[in-house]
Amino acid sequence: MPFLIPFIIQAVIALAISAAITLAFSLLFPQRRPQQQQQQSAVPKPEDGKYAFKQNVPSLPVVLGRVKKPGDYVFLEERQGQAFHGMVMAGHRIEGFVQHYLHDEATTFSGGGIVTPAHFVGYVGLEEKLGLDLQVASTVLTTWFPEIWTAAHRGDGLAYCVLNYATAAQEKYTEIYPQQMPQHSAVVDGAWLYDPRTNQDPGDPETWSFSTNLALERLWHLTHPTGGKLSLDDMHLPDWSAAATIADQVVLNREEEEEPRYHGGLWYRADNDQVEIGRLLDEAGEMVLYERADGKIGVHPGVLVTPDIRITAADILSFRYDANKRLATNVLAVRGRLTDPDAVYNTVDAAIYGEPYTGEDTQRTKTVDNQAVQYHNHMQRLQKLAFIRANAPRVSLVIVYDAFSATRFVRYRRFVRVHLPGRDLDEAIVEIIGRPKLSLQNLTYTFDAIVVPATLYSFDAATEEGVRGTLGEAVEPTGVPVPENFAIGIAAEVVTAGQTQAYGVASWDHLSDALNYELEWQLADESAPPQSVMSKSGETEARTQALADGATYRFRLRAWSNGAPSDWTAYETELAVADTVAPGQPDDFDSVAVGSTVTLSWTNPNSPNLYRTELYRGSTGSFGSAVLIYTSNGGIAEPRSYDDPALAAGTYYWWLVSKNASGVPALPVGPETQTI
């Protein structure tokens, strides 16, 4: 009874939470009135911020060993642009969460925030609960929803996690959530198990530990309310200790790597067929359960024990032998299916044991399909055993029940020795199938068996283990391709009154008509926000709006497909020039020195595109070292002058440069020289 009361409490809590979800969904998604039912609701779109969800109220999940599984929703709400998902992974305490997945992407979390993959960073958060008997309520839910989730909502005995997803901007939605709302699953290390080989307290689960040992998992299953509903007092623990030790034995696989002999895991629900769950664990661990004379449950481990019962002709009343050699029905090949951790805990096919070219849908093949098996070598050993047993000779025996003979214990054995010389049973080892039947009326035992070799469990991985199938490598999504050969140029066009204006023209290589391109431009000093324009499908050029004449801009390009963008290209910087034709040169450039002041005079060129005239002064005859000292704006064909005062003693040189509105200069005029 030690598990029964907490299980009932867990069930009540789960039922209450499930009922709360049902009520929440009835409030979030009320039934339409008759007049509303005539108009079907539109399918939710990502930009609507809606998430369509429907789930039946499930029974509690149970996790044994390490498995990958989804969770059952117990909470789904939205607040301030974030969706909060509460999902129960197991209806009991677990060892921990090993790896979280969002869709098929493995994730890494640190401090409650996601670290990888990069596109989720800043948008996904996580909180984990291990299902302690007395645990603290979710900090996330009590903080965001204090009116409906309080400190009293602890979820004792429920291992769950809370994920929150922040809303992404519409233009980034498919980049952040490429498969829309992420579907969560996790690799979980499951229940703590009692190990009779240790000093653990059988009455205190807090002293137990996590294990993937199949014998210990079966022991837990038999004594749990979701399984056999027995107690540890009902178990013959020496047998279970021996089975656990056998399961922990180290074997070598084909690659000469060490593996445990019988380890694995599976998860199930409380309302599943527990006989089938027990069968899967027994088959995976090569165990046979039996009831002892004292009424306790013992187990025969997956190893050939030297028989201590010998049946001879003197013990046999009736004997039937079937060599099982039928060309039409003998099994030629055994297939296997297992759960492969290297394939992210998906089901994979093992190598075929036996004749590999035998058709699958015939009597001549068998399949060992066991989700609790997680090693290829383990499955290959089970396939070999299935092959031997399928083709082994069959015997049916009726023997004398003798209260003083060792044969009276035949019902508690898995293997016995039969000695019938001349009948192909010369000191033969047989494996009992089913349960021997005792007839008190006739004082006989009746049982069926198969003849097995003494090397039944021998397995040479180097020669007998087939080559496991190659796992398909997941192709990492590259996303929308970055534009290639992006180039930017500046062009000009005539607008009103003969004025010209500059604009940018971008070009790129054509890759697919499914791509559209976004061209962005911005002043290089970032004094104004960026602007952008979209191309049409199939185009390889795009132009900007009018650019400020003479200003320096930076440009970049990215592609879009189905609402998802590529990365930006590197920036390209260009000067916006609307008028590329330089004005004429100034005329009549002259200078007159009076004391320390030099008066310079000239006549502006008669050019319609003259915008300004600049006066430069230097101390050498090189224009490259001169500095700007005066600017005269406009004044087409007009005379201009400038007094350059208070010059120190020395020789000076002056030049004039006329420019248009785009800053395109004419050749310098000068120098004019004066000595002070």
Side-chain angles (χ1 to χ4, degrees), residues 385-630:
L385 290 171
F387 183 88
I388 292 173
R389 287 168 176 150
N391 295 312
R394 268 70 174 148
V395 294
S396 295
L397 294 169
V398 179
I399 65 173
V400 175
Y401 173 75
D402 184 349
F404 299 98
S405 170
T407 57
R408 70 184 186 277
F409 298 119
V410 70
R411 65 183 302 176
Y412 309 121
R413 299 295 186 267
R414 183 175 185 178
F415 299 99
V416 297
R417 191 179 299 279
V418 177
H419 182 57
L420 283 177
R423 302 299 298 271
D424 294 330
L425 293 175
D426 188 5
E427 301 295 345
I429 298 175
V430 300
E431 181 178 13
I432 297 175
I433 301 173
R435 184 174 184 175
K437 298 178 182 179
L438 172 62
S439 172
L440 294 178
Q441 180 179 3
N442 300 320
L443 293 179
T444 60
Y445 265 125
T446 302
F447 63 91
D448 296 327
I450 58 174
V451 181
V452 296
T455 57
L456 176 65
Y457 286 96
S458 299
F459 188 82
D460 182 5
T463 58
E464 294 185 275
E465 182 178 352
V467 179
R468 62 187 301 178
T470 303
L471 298 177
E473 294 186 8
V475 178
E476 293 294 333
T478 57
V480 181
V482 177
E484 296 181 359
N485 293 328
F486 166 56
I488 190 74
I490 301 297
E493 60 185 356
V494 178
V495 291
T496 58
Q499 298 294 318
T500 58
Q501 68 179 18
Y503 61 91
V505 179
S507 62
W508 57 87
D509 287 350
H510 177 268
L511 182 61
S512 170
D513 288 344
L515 299 176
N516 294 332
Y517 293 84
E518 179 185 9
L519 173 64
E520 181 189 271
W521 67 94
Q522 184 183 24
L523 286 169
D525 60 7
E526 301 183 42
S527 58
Q531 298 174 274
S532 64
V533 66
M534 293 293 297
S535 74
K536 295 181 180 179
S537 177
E539 291 181 342
T540 57
E541 286 189 355
R543 58 164 288 175
T544 69
Q545 299 175 6
L547 304 176
D549 198 10
T552 301
Y553 285 83
R554 62 181 189 176
F555 305 83
R556 61 180 180 174
L557 186 71
R558 66 178 174 182
W560 284 83
S561 178
N562 294 323
S566 71
D567 293 333
W568 289 102
T569 62
Y571 278 110
E572 298 286 340
T573 303
E574 291 289 341
L575 176 68
V577 178
D579 185 359
T580 59
V581 179
Q585 294 176 303
D587 294 327
D588 305 326
F589 186 28
D590 195 13
S591 63
V592 176
V594 178
S596 62
T597 298
V598 175
T599 300
L600 299 116
S601 60
W602 68 89
T603 301
N604 282 337
N606 187 21
S607 299
N609 65 341
L610 175 67
Y611 183 72
R612 65 181 182 271
T613 303
E614 298 175 345
L615 177 62
Y616 292 82
R617 181 184 66 212
S619 57
T620 68
S622 172
F623 175 72
S625 61
V627 295
L628 176 66
I629 62 173
Y630 174 68

Side-chain angles (χ1 to χ4, degrees), residues 335-352:
R335 304 173 187 273
R337 291 177 63 82
L338 68 148
T339 301
D340 190 352
D342 293 337
V344 199
Y345 291 87
N346 286 312
T347 301
V348 300
D349 291 327
I352 296 175

